[in-house]
Each structure stands twice: as structure tokens, then as C-alpha cells.
Amino acid sequence: MAASTDHNVQDAPRIILFTGKGGVGKTTTAAATALRCAEMGKKTLVISTDPAHSLGDALNTELSPEPKEIAPNLFAQELDVYYSMKKYWGNVRTLLLTVFQWQGVSNMVAEELAALPGMEEASAFLWLDNYVEAKEYECIVIDSAPTGETLTLLTLPQTVQWWMTRAFPFQKAAVQTVGAAVRTITGIPLDKGFMELDNLFEKLQRMQRLMTNPDVASIRLVMNPERMVIQEARRAYTYLQMYGFSVDSVVVNRIMPEVATNNSFFAEYVASQKKYLGEIEESFAPLPLLKVQHAGKEVFGLDLLRKIGESLYENHNPMDFYYKEKPFELAQDGKNYVLKTKLPFTSEGEFDVKRLADEVIIQVKNRRKNLFLPRFLAYYTLEKHSLTDGWLTMTFAPNKDQ
């Protein structure tokens, strides 16, 4: 099967993904951003990928698994796991179930194995791929699940690829060879089914390449000026940088106004927020900070969202790229090669680096990143590594037998 080609970046919509700890106001911020883009004349879609949907509440309208027009140029969609799985994964699930049963796996175990890891998250990428292919929207705003689930979504192609290489002990050519025999037994065209599965995986990988393209997509970290929230945002930023995703700004939501200091009940809280705002500015520099004052009430409906958008962006274009930085750099240093990757908010002793064949494995606490190396580095040895100012530097020296 001919491999499908990547989308033309010039024709791709602007993609902005909001993530952060649950309850910080991602949905409100995403909806306000989408409304502002729409009112600038850009056809905009805002998608909620969070299973605990609140986008419809923020927009004050009932949404469905398919896009719904909310206002001129503004469309909204709440992804439904079962609807999406039926739409995109029904045939694939049947294919996997048949393969496992054909291999002699019991029906009950086959049913369990046929549920691909991350099918729910994968459906979001497949929806996006369709919209990009159709050139339907100029801007797509994603109201994502809390940070842990967002990382699962963004790193899904590697997870699925790892799973597939272990689930199938034969290659595509072998499947095509036995396809006729299995088709005779089961009535299912296994070879064509595998090609469909292969195509789905290619879509996932294609969307990941688009999501890591700093000229198309960027992530905005949403947080409140509170200690636990900031800590999680730091961890999220570290992992997003590890995986090559561009974070272009930090959104600080629900900032109490100075007038609240007149009330002794809020004075201590406002003082605490001031302290944490300074910490955020220092920790996330040079990322721009977008600040939103506390509305003093629950935010829902287009009128209030419009005010949030005005406060958030002022005279700036929400579709702009506020910051771009390469997460990885590879350069020659004499006979050696030096690979640098951003590893913010990490200290010596908190991470481990290992070389395994054509990849480097970076372990940061409970997260692991596999960096695939250029082929020529097979002739080089990972000699040393060091961490300085948030940059992990790895030096590759020629093998001694070269």
C-alpha cells in the first residue's frame, strides 16, 4: 500500500490546544479563544476531548458528537467515545478479533486484546485528520482533558506502534499471504483489513507530526496562581518539551483583583496569589503570560466568554504564535555529535539516560521518552550527558573500533 502523504502545512488550520490540571478553567479559556477567533472572521471549531464535558455548559448550549454551529463562524463539538469508536474503529476491532481467534486465542482473551490501547484518545486525532484533509476550518481549538490524559493523546502513535509490533508476530506481507486462507474460513478479507488498520496508524502518525510542527500547532498551559496547580503545570511543560510539542504561552486564570484586599477574608489569598504570580513568571520565562481576572461568578454564555477573551488577549491576535523554540538540537562538535533537549524543572538524580540500539531512552520519574537517533549515530557511542539550565546535553563519540 502506498503510504499516505502529510498534509500541506500551508493549508493546515491553526491548531491551539489548552491543557492543565482539572478545574483550572481550560474549557472557559478554550471557548473564549474560539469565540474571539470566530468574531475575527475565521471559521473556527472548538472541540472538547475531555470525557467529563463542560464545553456545552460554557457555551450555554447542548452539543453533540458532530460539529454544531453556535454563532457565525463558530462551531463546537464534544467527542463521544462510543460514537467515535463506532465511526472509526468498528472494522478494525473486528479485524483484530478475527486475527487473535485465528491464532488460537480464546474468545474472551481475544475480546480483551481487540481493544486497542488509547482508542478513545485516537479518535480525537482521526477527527482532526478529517478536518485538516477537508480544509474545513481555519482554526481548531482543543479543550483537552487534564494533563495526564492529554499526554496520553499526544504520545499515542508510539504506544500503538509498540503494541502492534508485539500483538502481531508477523508482518504485513505475511498477512497478505495468509489473507486468502483466512478469508475462506471467516469470510473476512484479512489482507484488506490490515491495510485499513495500517492506514489508520499512518493517520495517527501524520497528525502527531502536524501537532509537533511549531508553524501549525501550539499548546497553551492553563493554571491558577496556586502551589499544587503550578507544580503540575511544570511537570506538564517538562513532558511536552520531551515529546517535541511547542508550548507558546501560559494562561493564568482566576486572578483576584486588588480591590479584594479591602476584604480581610480575601486579603491573605490575594497576597498568596501575588507570590505565586511572581513564581510563575520566573519559572516559565521566557514564555509569555496571558492573564485573566476572576469573573466573580460562574462563566457561561457568549457574552461572558467574549469578556474573558478580551481580558485574555487584549489587542493581540489569539491565532498568533507567541513563542517558538526548538525542543531538540543536534550539532557536530569536532569528531563528536551533541544532542541537546529541553528538560525544564528537572534536577540531577531525577532522570536517567540510556542508549539502546538506535534510540536514547530518557526516564523522568514515571515518564519515559524514546528519542530515535539518525542512522549514522549507530557508529557512535553515548559517551556522557549533563544537565545545565534546563538543557540535557548528550555527547556521542565515534566507536573505538572505527
Side-chain angles (χ1 to χ4, degrees):
M1 185 184 93
S4 56
T5 57
D6 280 357
H7 299 296
N8 189 329
V9 172
Q10 292 181 337
D11 296 331
R14 174 71 167 99
I15 301 174
I16 308 170
L17 185 147
F18 289 88
T19 189
K21 186 177 175 65
V24 296
K26 296 187 303 296
T27 299
T28 299
T29 307
T33 299
L35 176 61
R36 194 164 178 84
C37 293
E39 292 185 339
M40 289 170 50
K42 304 297 183 180
K43 188 176 181 182
T44 303
L45 171 68
V46 55
I47 304 175
S48 171
T49 65
D50 191 339
H53 294 302
S54 55
L55 181 59
D57 295 330
L59 294 168
N60 200 28
T61 187
E62 186 176 347
L63 299 179
S64 73
E66 295 281 350
K68 175 182 177 181
E69 188 169 9
I70 306 300
N73 292 320
L74 179 61
F75 297 77
Q77 176 183 16
E78 290 183 336
L79 296 189
D80 179 273
V81 171
Y82 299 104
Y83 181 90
S84 298
M85 287 174 67
K86 183 177 180 180
K87 180 167 183 170
Y88 289 110
W89 294 99
N91 293 337
V92 171
R93 182 185 173 279
T94 301
L95 163 69
L96 295 175
L97 189 61
T98 302
V99 170
F100 289 129
Q101 289 174 339
W102 178 67
Q103 290 178 289
V105 177
S106 71
N107 288 347
M108 184 170 62
V109 175
E111 288 278 5
E112 189 70 20
L113 290 173
L116 277 172
M119 290 173 84
E120 300 93 332
E121 292 85 357
S123 64
F125 266 4
L126 296 176
W127 280 102
L128 281 174
D129 187 77
N130 283 351
Y131 295 141
V132 173
E133 183 73 24
K135 302 177 183 177
E136 198 167 350
Y137 300 100
E138 295 172 271
C139 180
I140 297 177
V141 178
I142 303 172
D143 168 31
S144 76
T147 44
E149 289 84 347
T150 299
L151 288 166
T152 300
L153 164 66
L154 296 176
T155 60
L156 183 67
Q158 291 98 324
T159 303
V160 172
Q161 184 180 33
W162 179 93
W163 185 92
M164 281 301 298
T165 57
R166 286 152 181 80
F168 288 95
F170 41 77
Q171 300 299 316
K172 178 167 60 177
V175 173
Q176 292 170 339
T177 301
V178 303
V182 177
R183 184 162 56 245
T184 302
I185 299 170
T186 65
I188 295 176
L190 182 58
D191 51 347
K192 292 182 180 179
F194 192 95
M195 292 175 69
E196 179 183 349
L197 179 64
D198 204 33
N199 184 46
L200 284 173
F201 291 156
E202 171 58 29
K203 286 184 177 182
L204 295 181
Q205 293 172 330
R206 188 168 63 204
M207 280 311 303
Q208 188 184 54
R209 288 192 290 271
L210 201 64
M211 290 295 295
T212 54
N213 188 322
D215 294 321
V216 175
S218 59
I219 295 174
R220 293 178 184 169
L221 287 172
V222 185
M223 66 188 76
N224 306 138
E226 299 172 5
R227 183 174 180 275
M228 290 181 64
V229 175
I230 295 170
Q231 288 295 94
E232 179 157 334
R234 283 171 168 166
R235 286 192 293 269
Y237 184 48
T238 297
Y239 299 138
L240 289 167
Q241 289 288 304
M242 281 176 58
Y243 288 107
F245 295 95
S246 175
V247 178
D248 79 343
S249 59
V250 168
V251 177
V252 187
N253 193 26
R254 297 177 186 148
I255 302 174
M256 295 292 289
E258 286 290 332
V259 68
T261 56
N262 298 331
N263 186 320
S264 59
F265 182 80
F266 291 109
E268 186 175 345
Y269 185 70
V270 172
S272 174
Q273 280 202 338
K274 273 189 175 181
K275 170 191 168 186
Y276 288 127
L277 277 170
E279 189 175 315
I280 291 170
E281 290 178 3
E282 182 179 332
S283 296
F284 291 93
L287 288 180
L289 262 60
L290 308 177
K291 301 179 182 179
V292 184
Q293 297 292 318
H294 200 296
K297 55 184 173 180
E298 188 178 7
V299 178
F300 62 89
L302 298 186
D303 291 340
L304 285 176
L305 289 174
R306 187 175 295 110
K307 291 180 180 179
I308 294 293
E310 291 170 356
S311 171
L312 185 62
Y313 297 105
E314 297 179 337
N315 298 321
H316 301 290
N317 185 338
M319 291 176 60
D320 283 349
F321 295 88
Y322 296 127
Y323 184 75
K324 289 183 181 181
E325 182 179 283
K326 285 185 177 181
F328 304 106
E329 294 178 5
L330 180 64
Q332 189 170 6
D333 182 15
K335 294 182 178 181
N336 299 337
Y337 281 90
V338 176
L339 176 65
K340 295 179 67 176
T341 180
K342 193 74 171 175
L343 215 61
F345 312 122
T346 305
S347 304
E348 290 287 353
E350 293 184 339
F351 70 96
D352 185 43
V353 179
K354 292 181 181 179
R355 168 75 179 271
L356 183 63
D358 61 346
E359 59 184 321
V360 166
I361 300 173
I362 305 171
Q363 184 83 34
V364 181
K365 296 181 181 178
N366 65 336
R367 291 281 176 180
R368 187 174 77 170
K369 168 62 178 175
N370 294 50
L371 292 179
F372 287 91
L373 303 172
R375 290 183 179 180
F376 71 84
L377 285 182
Y379 299 98
Y380 291 75
T381 301
L382 177 56
E383 186 177 59
K384 60 182 179 179
H385 66 268
S386 61
L387 184 68
T388 306
D389 297 329
W391 282 93
L392 173 63
T393 301
M394 293 165 280
T395 301
F396 294 83
N399 294 340
K400 292 181 180 179
D401 57 349
Q402 295 300 313

